[in-house]
């Protein structure tokens, strides 16, 4: 386990199963009920007033719900955080965090690559709310230091970056941020707490598109953040409560179920992706492969430093022009052409025309998203079958 802290008493898988949930005391049901309710009855009017004044107890499901709370406790525990907060999508989490931490006139430094809609949101915040941002190549500490301005309030990074798989040194970023009293936010979607726990390296807040690995089965859209109680309470009582991008109890239940097998799934995703990356690396029709788990990757030392595995996402370019890549994708039978990632199914997509189409071409190229780049989210199928499918599609374009 790569961590700056001592391991807690139970391992991650045990905690993913047991923290925050226990058998129903009334019936003994192993799986507690889903609290599918919008509101909560107060025993007296005085008690209702007390809860509104801050006393413990549920009020209304936009302000808190027992099933959603169980999910928040699990993810917070796994991320070594004091508290968690769930949202109706990953973008609801990203927007609540940025709107909660920033005000007009502030500045954000971001990793030079970002999920397309996060980039779209930052552009909107700049144009409409005067919150400026700088995309920064953080492989060099000097570049990060130079990007800091007097009004920089947040450093927002993805590592590995979607979809270029560049890796950023978490400890370096957190220490520069601390010296300058800047809050560090890490989008940990690609890794999950099973492979990387940014708070243990000094970062302040972690966020996930829980739609991806945490859900894992392609049947829920959700987001979650974890960090210090004070920051989480602030976001809960401002941008979440008043903008309202909450998670439904049913979706929280699906994510709680997903978390129970997350450790197993991440192991299999990582093993499969490693074998697929090795296959692609050797294939004569492949121009380049981006996967930090390959020892040939310049980011491999960071996998050893801060990650417990390189995860399930690979990007690559096939030889020839962009059309060769598109033709290759159209030949696939088992691997499905779809955005999203982290599902048990293998999914493939073309970032420059799909997930990152919103980013202007010039910015896209600066991010390293070439027109030929293809992103593959390797599922947990038998890896021989995934490789055979890629092989037949590659031979069709030779
Ligand atoms: C890294 C990353 N962060 C955030 C998001 C947004 O999540 P959602 O689609 O759940 O809103 C995505 C979606 O693809 C993503 O890949």
């Amino acid at each position: 386990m790569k961590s700056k802290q001592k391991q807690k008493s139970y391992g991650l898988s045990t905690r993913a199963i047991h923290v925050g949930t226990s058998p129903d005391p009334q019936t003994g049901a192993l799986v507690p009920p889903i609290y599918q309710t919008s509101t909560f009855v107060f025993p007296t009017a005085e008690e209702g007033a007390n809860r509104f004044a801050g006393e413990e107890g549920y009020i209304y499901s936009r302000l808190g719900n027992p099933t959603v709370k169980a999910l928040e406790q699990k993810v917070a525990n796994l991320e070594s955080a004091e508290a968690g907060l769930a949202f109706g999508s990953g973008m609801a989490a990203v927007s609540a965090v940025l709107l909660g931490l920033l005000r007009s006139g502030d500045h954000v430094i971001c990793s030079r690559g970002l999920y397309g809609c996060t980039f779209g949101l930052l552009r909107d915040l700049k144009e409409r709310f005067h919150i400026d941002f700088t995309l920064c190549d953080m492989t060099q500490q000097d570049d990060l230091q130079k990007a800091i301005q007097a009004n920089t309030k947040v450093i927002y990074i993805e590592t590995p970056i979607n979809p270029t798989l560049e890796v950023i040194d978490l400890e370096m970023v957190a220490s520069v941020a601390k010296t300058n009293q800047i809050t560090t936010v890490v989008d940990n979607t690609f890794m999950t707490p099973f492979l990387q726990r940014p708070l243990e390296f000094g970062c302040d807040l972690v966020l996930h598109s829980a739609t991806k690995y945490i859900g894992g089965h392609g049947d829920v859209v959700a987001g979650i953040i974890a960090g210090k109680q004070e920051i989480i309470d602030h976001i809960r009582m401002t941008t979440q409560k008043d903008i309202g991008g909450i998670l439904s109890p049913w979706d929280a239940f699906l994510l709680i179920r997903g978390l129970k097998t997350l450790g197993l799934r991440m192991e299999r995703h990582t093993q499969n992706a490693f074998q697929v990356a090795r296959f692609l690396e050797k294939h004569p029709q492949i121009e380049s492969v981006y996967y930090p788990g390959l020892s040939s990757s310049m980011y491999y030392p960071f996998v050893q430093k801060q990650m417990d595995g390189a995860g399930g996402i690979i990007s690559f370019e096939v030889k020839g022009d962009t059309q060769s890549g598109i033709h290759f994708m159209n030949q696939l039978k088992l691997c499905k052409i779809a955005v999203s990632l982290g599902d048990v199914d293998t999914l493939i997509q073309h970032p420059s025309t799909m997930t990152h189409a919103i980013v202007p071409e010039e910015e896209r190229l600066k991010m390293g998203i070439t027109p030929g780049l293809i992103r593959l989210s390797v599922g947990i199928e038998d890896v021989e079958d995934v490789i055979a499918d890629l092989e037949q599609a590659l031979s069709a374009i030779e």
Side-chain angles (χ1 to χ4, degrees):
M1 259 183 125
K2 314 278 165 36
S3 159
K4 293 261 136 192
Q5 288 175 8
K6 271 204 312 203
Q7 194 188 338
K8 300 211 168 70
S9 50
Y10 287 119
L12 285 166
S13 281
T14 309
R15 282 146 53 199
I17 294 166
H18 293 283
V19 167
T21 46
S22 45
D24 178 33
Q26 250 185 338
T27 62
L30 175 66
V31 177
I34 303 170
Y35 289 91
Q36 191 75 38
T37 183
S38 54
T39 197
F40 298 83
V41 176
F42 309 132
T44 61
E46 289 83 352
E47 173 64 20
N50 289 342
R51 290 190 199 175
F52 269 88
E55 222 171 64
E56 185 85 19
Y58 293 100
I59 297 175
Y60 182 67
S61 277
R62 179 159 45 77
L63 313 177
N65 171 283
T67 310
V68 178
K69 187 175 178 187
L71 168 72
E72 292 168 346
Q73 286 178 338
K74 274 191 199 292
V75 173
N77 182 284
L78 297 175
E79 287 285 11
S80 298
E82 288 173 11
L85 189 59
F87 294 84
S89 71
M91 284 315 299
V94 175
S95 53
V97 165
L98 293 177
L99 291 168
L101 297 179
L102 296 163
R103 60 181 66 223
S104 179
D106 286 347
H107 173 246
V108 194
I109 302 174
C110 305
S111 45
R112 73 168 181 152
L114 287 171
Y115 170 57
C117 293
T118 305
F119 176 86
L121 173 67
L122 284 161
R123 197 176 51 183
D124 227 30
L125 291 177
K126 179 176 168 145
E127 281 167 14
R128 300 175 56 215
F129 300 100
H130 307 292
I131 295 169
D132 201 5
F133 71 98
T134 304
L135 298 179
C136 175
D137 173 5
M138 298 191 199
T139 44
Q140 303 300 322
Q141 181 166 341
D142 270 5
D143 290 350
L144 176 58
Q145 224 117 27
K146 276 188 212 137
I148 296 173
Q149 305 176 5
N151 58 344
T152 305
K153 294 285 157 44
V154 169
I155 297 178
Y156 183 102
I157 62 172
E158 293 178 7
T159 181
I161 294 176
N162 180 9
T164 53
L165 280 308
E166 290 167 317
V167 178
I168 294 170
D169 183 342
L170 289 169
E171 196 175 20
M172 180 277 283
V173 172
S175 102
V176 171
K178 276 219 160 51
T179 315
N180 293 278
Q181 290 158 335
I182 298 170
T183 304
T184 314
V185 181
V186 183
D187 183 333
N188 204 28
T189 301
F190 272 35
M191 291 279 93
T192 83
F194 278 88
L195 299 185
Q196 175 173 277
R197 291 167 299 284
L199 302 188
E200 294 180 3
F201 291 88
C203 300
D204 298 297
L205 202 63
V206 166
L207 73 83
H208 291 271
S209 166
T211 314
K212 311 299 185 319
Y213 288 109
I214 292 180
H217 295 73
D219 51 14
V220 57
V221 174
I224 191 151
I225 65 173
K228 283 213 172 64
Q229 187 77 51
E230 193 188 344
I231 305 183
I232 297 293
D233 285 348
H234 168 71
I235 294 171
R236 183 192 291 281
M237 295 314 288
T238 54
T239 44
Q240 191 183 58
K241 176 172 76 64
D242 298 336
I243 296 179
I246 57 154
L247 186 69
S248 79
W250 170 253
D251 286 340
F253 162 75
L254 288 175
L255 296 173
I256 288 170
R257 194 167 66 156
L259 279 172
K260 294 181 188 180
T261 57
L262 184 59
L264 276 176
R265 285 187 284 110
M266 291 318 290
E267 252 178 64
R268 177 68 170 245
H269 281 296
T270 304
Q271 283 163 11
N272 281 4
F274 179 67
Q275 292 198 45
V276 170
R278 293 273 301 269
F279 159 77
L280 291 172
E281 194 178 38
K282 290 190 206 127
H283 199 284
Q285 281 300 115
I286 296 295
E287 183 71 43
S288 43
V289 179
Y290 306 97
Y291 183 65
L294 290 172
S295 55
S296 56
S297 164
M298 66 181 281
Y299 300 111
Y300 187 65
F302 293 107
V303 177
Q304 293 173 306
K305 180 181 176 192
Q306 67 191 27
M307 294 146 73
D308 287 318
I313 314 293
I314 303 168
S315 286
F316 60 95
E317 286 146 331
V318 299
K319 283 196 174 137
D321 57 11
T322 309
Q323 214 40 48
S324 312
I326 300 295
H327 183 48
F328 154 77
M329 286 172 69
N330 287 336
Q331 302 305 311
L332 291 164
K333 296 184 171 73
L334 184 71
C335 307
K336 299 291 180 287
I337 304 172
V339 295
S340 202
L341 56 98
D343 287 352
V344 291
D345 310 54
T346 296
L347 303 178
I348 194 159
Q349 67 107 5
H350 182 232
S352 67
T353 59
M354 297 178 188
T355 50
H356 291 69
I358 189 179
V359 182
E361 193 183 358
E362 198 191 329
E363 292 293 343
R364 257 201 326 261
L365 291 173
K366 276 196 227 151
M367 288 181 177
I369 305 171
T370 59
L373 193 75
I374 292 169
R375 188 189 77 192
L376 182 71
S377 169
V378 182
I380 63 167
E381 298 98 338
D382 294 294
V383 71
E384 304 76 33
D385 296 330
V386 176
I387 290 175
D389 193 30
L390 295 168
E391 174 97 76
Q392 65 78 26
L394 284 168
S395 59
I397 61 161
E398 264 170 37

